């Protein structure tokens, strides 16, 4: 048995029928590369079964402590059945992109069975009329509960079911998996008693580790090296209320070379900065067309992995986060990119001062029963409608393979992401890179975004405007201190520190 961390357990507590807390992906494959030029569902089942030893998440299930007196545990599922987790459907003709997006949204909206290992694969056939894809492709729509993996540990799960060629060579590792018996209630209660006794010591230890960082942050704020402007609430938008049980999905691919060319136009900018600026421009266009663009800049939460080298395959979540302004109040695309870059630099400096690992450890301080009760009450009373949001959306970047990958002999030709939304945060933008392509996907509450094609079009238009502006030679404007940008002195210091 292995106990979930407080951060992992929080995703279990946040789970409601309207807020399923799983993440996932949409991989699209060309079966013409497989032996015989086709892939049967039977072949896929056998292929996945042969790779189960590649990731622990495949065969571990949750065991919750009575009354949530302590965080749940993982055990090796004594009733594991692969056919429960791998399903098979087909799109009706013509099998186009819109039909696939609707089907992905429907699958993503359905909560998972928390008494089983927390993953599902759905094979979707019939992709015969998707622009840019060869006829006969199929999709693998994956769902994995956020309690089991974060974006980085999900890469390990993906690697388990993908090869670097079409040969489908069986893995050389031995599968020594053994199921466990369900633990007794008395054993769970005894463990919770001991864990709650040592909780005060964990609180003292975590606070003690963070005090030097907080002092450093205060000193830097006084000197003007960092700004605490991002600590204020984000503007209220349609995406920051109570969510329904319905979802929409879409994705927009871009050439990675074009993204890099745009970033080179602003000294020090990164690919992530460009992605955030594209999202900011897309939201600006989408909300402006509806007459709902807020005066202040919208913000995004960007997860930060705090995995060490020895924790790459660790189960669960090892993440902190930073909040970055998206420049939705700025029309000029390059000016918006500069603003986002400054915001990201400032947020990284704040996170580095305190320590991303320390920030993640603060999730361990709340007692499990209180955490579960708070999450349930927040949803039931609709508290998201009554307060200003901490951030407006999520933008999470998951680096993918630069070389072709194969699933059951079929070559992957595209990869997109899905993510959870919840009360107060109804829009998430997973960013996946694969080969020479970077795709901005999005999952949103359908009541908040009934027209996902309009937001997808806004992302495309923003990218084209940034690409066109990056071609024109421009001189960087003076960076004078104001409400939205740090002073020259702060920018220079952060640049020197490599923040």
């Amino acid at each position: 048995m292995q106990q979930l961390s407080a951060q992992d357990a929080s995703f279990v507590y946040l789970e409601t029928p309207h807020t399923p807390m799983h993440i996932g992906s949409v991989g699209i494959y060309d079966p013409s590369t497989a032996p015989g030029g086709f892939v049967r569902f039977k072949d896929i089942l056998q292929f996945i079964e042969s790779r189960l030893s590649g990731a622990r998440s495949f065969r571990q299930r949750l065991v919750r402590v009575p009354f949530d007196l302590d965080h749940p545990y993982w055990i090796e599922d004594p009733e594991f059945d692969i056919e429960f987790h791998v399903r098979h459907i087909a799109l009706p003709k013509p099998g186009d992109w819109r039909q696939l997006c609707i089907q992905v949204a429907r699958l993503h909206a359905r909560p998972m069975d928390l008494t089983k290992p927390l993953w599902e694969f759905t094979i979707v056939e019939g992709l015969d009329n998707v622009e840019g894809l060869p006829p006969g492709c199929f999709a693998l729509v994956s769902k994995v509960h956020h309690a089991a993996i974060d974006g980085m540990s999900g890469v390990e799960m993906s690697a388990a079911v993908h090869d670097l060629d079409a040969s489908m060579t069986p893995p050389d590792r031995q599968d020594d998996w053994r199921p466990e018996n369900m633990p007794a209630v008395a054993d769970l209660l005894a463990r919770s008693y001991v864990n709650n006794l040592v909780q005060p010591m964990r609180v003292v230890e975590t606070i003690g580790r963070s005090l030097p960082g907080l002092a450093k942050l205060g000193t830097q704020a006084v000197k003007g090296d960092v700004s605490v402007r991002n600590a204020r609430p984000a503007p209220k938008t349609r995406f920051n209320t109570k969510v329904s049980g319905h979802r929409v999905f879409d994705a927009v691919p871009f050439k990675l070379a074009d993204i890099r060319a745009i970033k080179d136009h602003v000294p020090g900018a990164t690919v992530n900065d460009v992605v955030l600026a594209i999202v900011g421009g897309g939201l600006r266009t989408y909300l402006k067309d509806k007459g709902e663009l807020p005066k202040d800049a919208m913000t995004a939460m960007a997860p930060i992995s705090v995995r060490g080298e020895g924790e790459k395959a660790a189960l669960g979540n090892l993440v902190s986060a930073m909040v970055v302004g998206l420049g939705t109040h700025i029309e000029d695309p390059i000016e918006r990119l500069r603003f986002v870059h400054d915001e990201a630099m400032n947020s990284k400096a704040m996170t580095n001062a305190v320590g991303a690992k320390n920030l993640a450890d603060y999730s361990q301080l709340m007692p499990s029963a209180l955490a579960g009760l708070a999450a349930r009450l927040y949803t039931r009373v609709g508290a998201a409608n009554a307060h200003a949001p901490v951030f407006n959306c999520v933008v999470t970047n998951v680096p993918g393979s630069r070389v072709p990958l194969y699933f059951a002999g079929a070559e992957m030709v595209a990869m997109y992401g899905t993510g959870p939304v919840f009360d107060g945060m109804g829009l998430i933008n997973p960013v996946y890179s694969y080969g020479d392509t970077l795709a901005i996907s999005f999952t949103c509450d359908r009541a908040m975004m009934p027209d996902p094609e309009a937001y997808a079009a806004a992302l495309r238009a923003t990218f084209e405007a940034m690409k066109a502006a990056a071609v024109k030679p421009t001189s960087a404007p003076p960076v004078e201190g104001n409400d939205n940008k740090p002073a020259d002195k702060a920018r220079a210091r952060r640049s020197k520190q490599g923040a």
Side-chain angles (χ1 to χ4, degrees), residues 317-373:
N317 293 265
L318 292 171
V319 295
S320 181
M322 64 179 188
V323 177
V324 182
L326 294 173
T328 52
H329 61 304
I330 300 174
E331 181 176 4
D332 182 87
I334 299 302
E335 281 301 300
R336 188 186 316 114
L337 177 56
R338 288 194 179 99
F339 174 85
V340 168
H341 174 59
D342 286 341
E343 289 284 293
M345 291 275 286
N346 185 74
S347 188
K348 288 175 184 176
M350 294 180 65
T351 301
N352 290 340
V354 180
K357 192 74 164 64
N358 289 335
L359 291 173
D361 287 344
Y362 269 92
S363 65
Q364 309 284 346
L365 303 187
M366 183 177 288
S368 55
L370 180 59
L373 178 62

Side-chain angles (χ1 to χ4, degrees), residues 101-398:
C101 289
I102 292 172
Q103 188 60 63
V104 170
R106 289 172 178 168
L107 291 169
H108 190 73
R110 298 172 189 167
M112 303 176 71
D113 186 342
L114 297 185
T115 67
K116 305 284 187 181
L118 297 181
W119 64 278
E120 294 176 7
F121 286 173
T122 302
I123 305 300
V124 183
E125 291 190 307
L127 279 64
D128 296 324
N129 195 31
V130 178
E131 183 179 353
L133 298 181
C137 286
F138 67 89
L140 169 61
V141 181
S142 72
K143 293 164 56 175
V144 186
H145 203 280
H146 216 327
I149 64 169
D150 58 29
M152 292 305 295
S153 61
V155 172
E156 181 220 15
M157 199 169 184
S158 176
V161 294
H162 287 100
D163 296 322
L164 297 179
D165 56 50
S167 65
M168 293 190 293
T169 303
D172 56 5
R173 58 180 173 270
Q174 183 177 355
D175 187 2
D176 55 359
W177 178 79
R178 294 290 183 274
E180 294 181 83
N181 294 323
M182 293 290 290
V185 171
D187 182 37
L188 293 173
L189 292 175
R191 287 170 179 259
S192 69
Y193 176 75
V194 173
N195 287 340
N196 287 321
L197 283 179
V198 302
Q199 179 69 8
M201 291 183 285
R202 295 173 184 160
V203 173
V204 172
E205 181 184 0
T206 300
I207 293 176
R209 285 200 310 269
S210 63
L211 286 177
L214 292 172
K216 179 181 177 182
L217 176 60
T219 301
Q220 291 182 349
V222 170
K223 291 181 178 179
D225 291 343
V226 298
S227 169
V228 295
R229 61 185 175 277
N230 283 345
R232 63 174 181 261
K236 191 85 169 181
T237 73
R238 63 166 52 212
F239 304 117
N240 306 118
T241 58
K242 186 177 175 64
V243 300
S244 71
H246 309 291
R247 302 289 179 264
V248 293
F249 164 83
D250 208 332
V252 183
F254 307 104
K255 290 296 182 184
L256 192 53
D258 292 335
I259 298 290
R260 287 174 174 156
I262 293 172
K263 83 171 178 63
D264 291 341
H265 200 68
V266 173
T270 65
V271 167
N272 283 344
D273 294 339
V274 177
V275 168
L276 289 166
I278 292 174
V279 171
L283 288 171
R284 172 185 171 84
T285 299
Y286 182 81
L287 293 178
K288 187 176 181 180
D289 289 346
K290 298 182 181 301
E292 300 177 8
L293 181 65
K295 179 181 177 181
D296 296 329
M298 295 172 64
T299 61
M301 187 272 278
I304 304 171
S305 176
V306 295
R307 289 179 180 272
E309 284 302 316
E311 300 170 314
K312 297 299 183 182
L315 201 68
N317 293 265
L318 292 171
V319 295
S320 181
M322 64 179 188
V323 177
V324 182
L326 294 173
T328 52
H329 61 304
I330 300 174
E331 181 176 4
D332 182 87
I334 299 302
E335 281 301 300
R336 188 186 316 114
L337 177 56
R338 288 194 179 99
F339 174 85
V340 168
H341 174 59
D342 286 341
E343 289 284 293
M345 291 275 286
N346 185 74
S347 188
K348 288 175 184 176
M350 294 180 65
T351 301
N352 290 340
V354 180
K357 192 74 164 64
N358 289 335
L359 291 173
D361 287 344
Y362 269 92
S363 65
Q364 309 284 346
L365 303 187
M366 183 177 288
S368 55
L370 180 59
L373 178 62
R376 290 188 292 272
L377 284 176
Y378 183 84
T379 296
R380 289 176 183 174
V381 304
N385 296 333
H387 66 84
V390 178
F391 48 84
N392 297 112
C393 66
V394 171
V395 180
T396 176
N397 197 335
V398 180

Side-chain angles (χ1 to χ4, degrees), residues 437-451:
T437 301
L438 181 146
I440 300 178
S441 312
F442 60 89
T443 306
C444 191
D445 177 67
R446 193 172 72 191
M448 298 175 181
M449 186 183 285
D451 50 353

